[in-house]
Amino acid sequence: MAAKLFVLPELELRLMFHVKHQAAALSPAATLLVVAGGRGPKLEWLHSVSDGKKIYCADRGAEYCFAAGCVPSELFGDCDSSSQAVYQQARAAGTVVHSFNPAKDDTDLQLLLHNLPEGDILATGIWGGRFDHLYSNVYTLLGVKKQRGCQVMLADDKEFMLLLTAGESVELKLQAAAEAVSLLPLSESTTVDFTGVRWPLQQATLRQLYPYAISNEVNADAEKICCTCHSGALGLYIRWAEGSK
């Protein structure tokens, strides 16, 4: 099966790299911005990527949005990591607020994603903080991607991960220096190609219980890095070098 190349066009100017696509680009308006309550992104970064998008917040994510001058379309949460004042501010700004009892099974992000309209997802406020939250967020977003067949990115001004499943391929032309580029197997095993890096891979099998393909480096003379996921599920992870933006 030929790999499917894809693009999310707002990456071209606002997320440190450009993605090439063999077909027509998706409309930026088709990408939904999801703001969770992990480490907050830089306010100018959040303001930039929010342009033209509907914003959906999980609890403390609303604080990040208002601080960046952005008004969420909807807010989902139990107010355990934010304040009633933020929820009141959201209602006053016209945000649709969905409040839940803290004694619930689903996380705030899971409740948000259950009610999210169709579209590709750019999720921020994902990194930092507790590992159990990060683990839940990554695999919940992977589940949404598999169920809907949409594209999913986890990003802020410091870290980025693009989720790939079988038959997907991506080309990235980095516009800022990468401190590290890693491939993280998110299924029991995944078969990948990876070029444009110091240690390329060809039909390599990566195993979830032995994730060795981390801390790769972009070749200095490479115009782009290319990654294909032939089977399984994969996270293409980049950490931006400090001072590169």
Side-chain angles (χ1 to χ4, degrees):
M1 178 177 62
K4 179 177 65 175
L5 286 165
F6 59 87
V7 64
L8 295 171
E10 71 276 2
L11 298 181
E12 295 183 12
L13 298 177
R14 302 180 184 135
L15 281 179
M16 308 92 171
F17 58 82
H18 171 66
V19 189
K20 291 184 67 178
H21 193 301
Q22 64 183 10
L26 297 172
S27 165
T31 302
L32 308 173
L33 178 59
V34 170
V35 185
R39 181 182 70 216
K42 283 186 177 179
L43 300 184
E44 57 268 32
W45 183 94
L46 179 56
H47 182 81
S48 176
V49 299
S50 69
D51 187 36
K53 296 182 184 63
K54 285 192 172 181
I55 308 172
Y56 299 83
C57 290
D59 210 40
R60 189 166 53 185
E63 291 185 24
Y64 305 148
C65 287
F66 287 124
C70 310
V71 177
S73 297
E74 298 187 42
L75 167 61
F76 296 78
D78 53 18
C79 205
D80 67 344
S81 64
S82 189
S83 67
Q84 287 291 344
V86 171
Y87 278 64
Q88 292 169 1
Q89 182 180 4
R91 291 187 179 94
T95 301
V96 178
V97 176
H98 307 270
S99 297
F100 299 89
N101 190 317
K104 63 186 189 315
D105 292 331
D106 291 350
T107 68
D108 293 333
L109 180 62
Q110 288 168 342
L111 291 168
L112 183 163
L113 293 171
H114 287 324
N115 293 278
L116 194 69
E118 294 294 323
D120 293 318
I121 298 171
L122 171 57
T124 193
I126 297 294
W127 311 106
R130 288 168 42 176
F131 175 75
D132 55 344
H133 286 172
L134 175 61
Y135 182 92
S136 173
N137 292 343
V138 169
Y139 278 97
T140 297
L141 285 162
L142 178 60
V144 171
K145 173 178 173 58
K146 288 183 173 182
Q147 181 182 20
R148 297 189 176 194
C150 62
Q151 304 307 332
V152 177
M153 295 175 298
L154 295 65
D156 65 10
D157 50 284
K158 295 183 176 66
E159 296 176 89
F160 165 86
M161 187 161 68
L162 176 68
L163 302 183
L164 296 168
T165 51
E168 290 183 328
S169 179
V170 67
E171 299 179 359
L172 304 182
K173 183 176 181 180
L174 303 187
Q175 296 178 347
E179 180 180 290
V181 181
S182 302
L183 299 184
L184 306 178
L186 300 177
S187 55
E188 185 175 0
S189 67
T190 178
T191 305
V192 303
D193 294 339
F194 198 28
T195 60
V197 290
R198 183 177 179 184
W199 296 283
L201 298 172
Q202 182 72 35
Q203 289 287 328
T205 298
L206 307 181
R207 302 195 181 280
Q208 195 172 40
L209 297 183
Y210 196 72
Y212 68 86
I214 63 172
S215 297
N216 213 324
E217 301 171 9
V218 178
N219 285 338
D221 59 349
E223 292 187 358
K224 60 189 177 183
I225 61 174
C226 304
C227 183
T228 298
C229 178
H230 295 289
S231 66
L234 177 72
L236 170 55
Y237 172 89
I238 299 173
R239 178 172 175 89
W240 308 113
E242 290 295 328
S244 66
K245 296 170 288 300

